[in-house]
Amino acid sequence: MRRKSEPLLRRIATRVLGEEEARRIWKRVEIIGDIAIIKRPFNYPIENLRKLGEELLKELPYVKSVWLAVSEVKGEYRLRDFIHLAGEARSVTLYREYGCVFKVDIRSVYISPRLGYEHMRIAKLVRPGEFIINMFAGAGLFSIVIAKYSRPRKVISIDINPEAVKLMIENVKLNKVEDVVEVVHGDAGVVIEKYHGVADRILMPLPHLCYEYLPKAIQALKPRGGFIHVYDFVENVRRRSEAISNAKDKYSMRLSELGLQDKFKIINARVVRSAGPKKYQVVLDIEIKKC
C-alpha cells in the first residue's frame, strides 16, 4: 500500500508503467500552465509515454495538453523538439508565478518552472532605483517579476529569439510594467554595447553564453561597479558542493584574467537545479567594484 504522502505524479506513473519504470519517469514530468511536458529518456518507447500522457489528463483536471520532449535544449534559441502525446494539440499556455501571468509557447521559447525560486530571489536583491539589464530574457519572466516586486528605474530586457520577443512584449503589457521594462530584440553581446557604464545589475541566465559575454557585461556596469548574476552549467561532478566550488574557481580565474583580481567578490553561490547525471546549473552572485 503506497503512502498518502507519495507524490501524485509518482503514483500515476507507477499505475501506468509499474514501480521500476516509474522511478525513471515521474521526476521527468513538468507542468507549465495547463501543459504537461514529459522529458523522454533515451530510446524509451513513445507509446508507453503516450499512455502516461492520457492518464495525466484523466487524473489532473488542470492539465489540458501533454507533450513529449524528445531532444535536449539546443540551438541558438535553446529550444527542444516536441511530439504531441495527448489532449489539445496546442503548445501555447498561460503560466502563472508570484502573481504574474506569462503567455508562453513551449515550442518557441525556453521556460523552466525550476527557475521560479531564482526569479523572486533576484527580485528581492534589487535596490530601489536600479538600472538592470537582463541579457537573455526569453519570455520576460525575470524582468517582469523584478519590475512587479522591486522598484527598479529601468529593466532592459534583451533576447535574440524573435518569437520570445513577441511573447515578452505581450507579457509586459499583461503585467502592466511597460513603464519599467524595455524589450529589445537582438544579440545581447551587440545590444549591451549601447549601454556602456549604465547598469547597476546584470542578469546572465543563459549558460552557454554567460562566460563568453562576461567582459561585455562588466563594461556595461556603472563606473563604480555593480552586480552580475551568472547561471552556468558544471559537468562531471558528483556533489553539489563540488559543482559550486568548480563554478567559483572558473569565474574567479576569468575575472582575474580580465584584470579584476582584487575588485570582485562572489557574495553568493548556489545550485539552481540538477541538469542531468553529474551536471548541475549553478548561479553566482558577483559584486564588482571597478574603482
Side-chain angles (χ1 to χ4, degrees), residues 79 91-95 101-111 137-141 144 157 159 161-175 181 183:
L79 302 176
S91 57
V92 177
T93 187
L94 292 178
Y95 169 68
V101 59
F102 303 98
K103 183 179 178 181
V104 298
D105 183 343
I106 62 169
R107 293 190 296 178
S108 64
V109 64
Y110 176 79
I111 179 171
L141 279 70
I144 290 167
S157 203
D159 206 273
N161 178 351
E163 295 304 316
V165 167
K166 289 177 186 177
L167 290 166
M168 183 161 34
I169 290 170
E170 286 194 58
N171 290 332
V172 166
K173 293 176 181 177
L174 277 172
N175 292 281
V181 179
V183 179

Side-chain angles (χ1 to χ4, degrees), residues 30-177:
E30 203 166 62
I31 309 294
I32 299 174
D34 62 359
I35 294 177
I37 297 172
I38 305 171
K39 298 174 187 175
R40 182 192 183 193
F42 181 69
N43 278 344
Y44 196 87
I46 292 178
E47 281 310 308
N48 289 1
L49 297 174
R50 196 179 301 278
K51 292 175 183 176
L52 176 59
E54 292 167 353
E55 194 65 20
L56 289 173
L57 289 175
K58 294 177 185 176
E59 293 289 330
L60 305 176
Y62 51 87
V63 171
K64 305 300 181 185
S65 180
V66 184
W67 291 79
L68 181 65
V70 293
S71 76
E72 295 299 318
V73 176
K74 60 181 183 177
E76 184 181 25
Y77 299 160
R78 307 300 290 164
L79 302 176
R80 297 179 187 272
D81 295 327
F82 288 97
I83 294 174
H84 178 248
L85 288 182
E88 299 175 15
R90 61 170 168 82
S91 57
V92 177
T93 187
L94 292 178
Y95 169 68
R96 290 175 170 80
E97 192 178 274
Y98 300 113
C100 301
V101 59
F102 303 98
K103 183 179 178 181
V104 298
D105 183 343
I106 62 169
R107 293 190 296 178
S108 64
V109 64
Y110 176 79
I111 179 171
S112 173
R114 288 190 288 174
L115 287 172
Y117 175 83
E118 282 298 305
H119 297 153
M120 182 55 75
R121 186 183 75 84
I122 298 298
K124 289 180 178 179
L125 296 176
V126 172
R127 299 164 181 171
E130 283 192 356
F131 191 106
I132 297 168
I133 300 175
N134 183 356
M135 292 182 68
F136 313 109
L141 279 70
F142 265 113
S143 301
I144 290 167
V145 172
I146 289 170
K148 289 285 282 189
Y149 284 93
S150 310
R151 288 186 289 165
R153 178 164 62 91
K154 180 66 70 176
V155 182
I156 304 299
S157 203
I158 308 165
D159 206 273
I160 195 170
N161 178 351
E163 295 304 316
V165 167
K166 289 177 186 177
L167 290 166
M168 183 161 34
I169 290 170
E170 286 194 58
N171 290 332
V172 166
K173 293 176 181 177
L174 277 172
N175 292 281
K176 298 179 173 60
V177 291

